[in-house]
Amino acid sequence: MVDDISEQNRREIHRQADLLDAVHVAVVATDLNGIVTHWNSGAEEIYGWTCAETEGRAVTELLVGSDDEVFAKAIADVLRDTGVWEGEFEARRKDGSRFPAHVRNSRLTDGEGRPAGVVGVSFDVSERVEADRELRSAHDYRNVVDDSMGEGLFTLDTEGRLIHLNRAAERLLGWRQEDLAGHVMHDSAHYRRQGGRPFAVGDRPLNNLRRDGEVVHLENEIFIRRDGSELPVEISLAPFEIEAGVRGSVVVFNDITQRKADDLRVRKQMDAMSWIGPIRDALAQDRLVLFAQPIVDLATGYTLQHELLIRLVDATGRVVPPDDFLPAAESSGLIVDIDRWVVRQAFELAGMGNPVALNLSAHSLAEPGLLDEFRSELERTSADPSLVVVELTETAVVDDEQAAVLFIERVTALGCKLALDDFGTGYGGFTYLKRLPIDYLKIDLEFVLDLATNSASRHVVEAVVSLARGFSQKTIAEGAEDETTLQMLRDYGVDFAQGYVLGRPTPVTNVLGSAAPLPGRA
């Protein structure tokens, strides 16, 4: 009731209300029953009720809807227990509209300390709430855009420390934001250690790439994933500065692995096309040459045979290695003409008493005239066909099995021998050991080069030797580069080997220019 509030309290409320009117804050006082005893001009402005309209009415009737009565009772309970309640809720205006209000209610006491009423100070926080909502909306929008990007994105402070990492960047790099936050990004994902020393994969730390506010584009950079693998990327880096004075850089990057692979393929295709003319000229002008590399018996040290290795002499006289021109020859079909030329040279050498091994491509196996070339060369040179070993890779056999099997049956019927090259790297090796008349298994150099340091390679070599013995075949190890490897090959029971430690490829005229038989061949 109004009489319960002392005149002194009433005057104090009015005095404070007059002070708060200047800042448009609503001051409302009630007695212990919640009946309005004071309603300042700020309350009139904010809530729409005049002072005359509110006097003697319950404050809940004016400011709180019927659906909020439970909430109003809870506030009253807190006031009763603690004397203060402060918080935000949706207040109601005279016209029924609602708005967010921040309210602080305090219990009043009389001169003897007994509860005398309640005074509440409130103000409209609509603008702040709307600003918060817009901020949350902008944040949510940024997150949606950020997370839907296919490109990796991260932000750095001026020292290059990570501030934010989007989901695409996490996926591409293998790091999570919490793993890298606060760490210098260059140290974590832009250089690696090699031989105990750090070296930059990128030219400079990312935070040092800014140029007076300009956007920087880098076409061919490398990031290091969490697992240590390299990720080729293109980067766009732009500086930023927000009103709070925070500065840094935004980095957007794309994985260009596929693009680099495509570019490499196109370059190879262009290189291949550029070789077609020189290959044709070399065939027409007899500028193909053979080198020979010995295959040595590991038990006796004698040379079993020489493998013939193709080279091309270009118009300037430079000797061109096979890796430069053979891919073009294979893609253009000119490899068949090269293989025919090699067959003629091989039988010429065999006719002089030289045991030789020649390589044939998969493209030539289905060529119907190739067997005729073998027959005619046998007749022309009167060579012993057993001196000619035809080397085929597992891949060549797999590519066209029907043609390969037919060719193998016919060429071995002529008396030539067969070697299965690069054994251990194909997919059907064991099947062909059983089905085809193979004389030699050539252990791929992948398993020979690291024989002294790789237990897996040692297991493969042992397994191949065991298989060959089971099928009454001989083994040849490619890539023997040192005496340690040679001794290990002997210990594992390998029959023959070839490699730099035994002899480098040499022009065939330097080693096979005589009809005299090689050592160990009476």
Side-chain angles (χ1 to χ4, degrees), residues 258-447:
Q258 186 59 50
R259 192 176 77 192
K260 287 176 70 70
D262 293 341
D263 290 346
L264 179 61
R265 186 179 68 254
V266 170
R267 285 198 301 272
K268 285 183 176 180
Q269 290 172 347
M270 296 296 292
D271 290 344
M273 291 183 66
S274 69
W275 271 108
I276 292 175
I279 292 171
R280 286 184 174 141
D281 292 343
L283 284 165
Q285 299 168 18
D286 198 24
R287 283 193 281 103
L288 294 176
V289 295
L290 289 175
F291 277 47
Q293 185 175 31
I295 298 174
V296 176
D297 188 322
L298 290 178
T300 65
Y302 290 154
T303 298
L304 169 73
Q305 60 201 212
H306 281 79
E307 181 177 359
L308 303 178
L309 305 168
I310 190 74
R311 303 286 190 271
L312 181 150
V313 179
D314 67 14
T316 68
R318 179 176 69 95
V319 177
V320 180
D323 288 347
D324 286 1
F325 67 90
L326 282 186
E330 291 178 349
S331 63
S332 65
L334 290 172
I335 191 66
V336 176
D337 293 326
I338 292 176
D339 281 350
R340 286 174 179 270
W341 183 87
V342 171
V343 168
R344 291 194 293 271
Q345 302 302 313
F347 276 98
E348 186 77 33
L349 291 166
M352 298 165 61
N354 297 304
V356 293
L358 69 146
N359 295 276
L360 292 180
S361 73
H363 296 75
S364 295
L365 299 186
E367 183 65 26
L370 189 61
L371 260 300
D372 293 335
E373 197 78 44
F374 272 77
R375 294 189 186 95
S376 64
E377 288 302 309
L378 272 174
E379 293 177 5
R380 182 181 69 83
T381 61
S382 299
D384 179 354
S386 67
L387 295 179
V388 177
V389 178
V390 178
E391 293 191 7
L392 299 176
T393 65
E394 290 185 67
T395 304
V397 177
V398 171
D399 283 348
D400 189 345
E401 182 177 347
Q402 185 176 358
V405 170
L406 182 61
F407 173 83
I408 289 168
E409 289 174 347
R410 291 179 177 178
V411 80
T412 53
L414 292 176
C416 297
K417 294 183 178 181
L418 179 68
L420 194 59
D421 200 5
D422 299 340
F423 188 77
T425 62
Y427 298 97
F430 292 171
T431 301
Y432 299 125
L433 291 184
K434 181 178 179 180
R435 294 176 53 200
L436 300 178
I438 297 168
D439 297 285
Y440 303 102
L441 291 184
K442 297 196 73 173
I443 303 170
D444 188 75
L445 57 82
E446 174 186 341
F447 306 110

Side-chain angles (χ1 to χ4, degrees), residues 2-211:
V2 176
D3 292 340
D4 293 331
I5 302 179
S6 68
E7 186 63 27
Q8 181 181 354
N9 288 334
R10 191 187 300 273
R11 286 197 302 269
E12 180 62 20
I13 290 171
H14 282 286
R15 188 183 70 80
Q16 293 184 9
D18 289 340
L19 292 174
L20 293 172
D21 278 347
V23 291
H24 305 288
V25 173
V27 180
V28 176
T30 70
D31 62 17
L32 292 176
N33 295 318
I35 303 301
V36 174
T37 59
H38 178 80
W39 189 272
N40 79 336
S41 60
E44 289 183 341
E45 181 180 345
I46 291 175
Y47 294 106
W49 299 95
T50 66
C51 181
E53 291 174 315
T54 63
E55 192 169 348
R57 297 177 67 177
V59 71
T60 54
E61 175 190 347
L62 299 171
L63 306 184
V64 180
S66 58
D67 52 339
D68 290 326
E69 290 180 356
V70 174
F71 181 61
K73 184 178 183 304
I75 292 175
D77 291 342
V78 173
L79 276 170
R80 184 186 65 245
D81 295 338
T82 66
V84 177
W85 181 89
E86 183 171 8
E88 293 182 6
F89 68 91
E90 274 201 342
R92 188 178 64 169
R93 296 187 180 93
K94 180 180 179 180
D95 62 7
S97 62
R98 292 175 176 266
F99 68 95
H102 187 94
V103 180
R104 179 179 174 86
N105 289 334
S106 300
R107 188 173 58 203
L108 294 175
T109 58
D110 59 19
E112 298 180 1
R114 292 174 299 186
V118 175
V119 63
V121 178
S122 59
F123 52 92
D124 186 349
V125 293
S126 298
E127 291 185 1
R128 195 212 70 201
V129 170
E130 178 61 20
D132 289 346
R133 187 197 66 78
E134 290 180 356
L135 184 62
R136 285 194 301 272
S137 179
H139 185 267
D140 292 343
Y141 177 78
R142 188 211 71 180
N143 285 343
V144 169
V145 173
D146 198 28
D147 291 341
S148 65
M149 289 177 62
E151 299 87 355
L153 178 147
F154 56 85
T155 56
L156 307 174
D157 65 15
T158 55
E159 301 301 320
R161 293 184 292 261
L162 182 78
I163 300 171
H164 173 70
L165 191 71
N166 78 342
R167 288 185 181 177
E170 289 182 333
R171 174 177 53 80
L172 290 168
L173 297 176
W175 297 95
R176 296 176 301 174
Q177 177 165 326
E178 52 265 36
D179 298 326
L180 295 178
H183 293 271
V184 176
M185 196 65 175
H186 180 68
D187 295 346
S188 299
H190 208 215
Y191 83 88
R192 67 164 77 220
R193 292 186 176 274
Q194 188 175 57
R197 294 176 301 167
F199 76 98
V201 178
D203 293 332
R204 288 182 291 164
L206 293 169
N207 56 301
N208 291 341
L209 292 173
R210 296 175 303 172
R211 301 171 186 162

Side-chain angles (χ1 to χ4, degrees), residues 293 448-449 478-483 485-486 498-501 504:
Q293 185 175 31
V448 178
L449 291 175
E478 300 179 281
E481 306 296 288
D482 53 63
E483 290 293 340
T485 301
L486 277 182
Q498 68 183 107
Y500 283 3
V501 70
R504 291 174 176 268

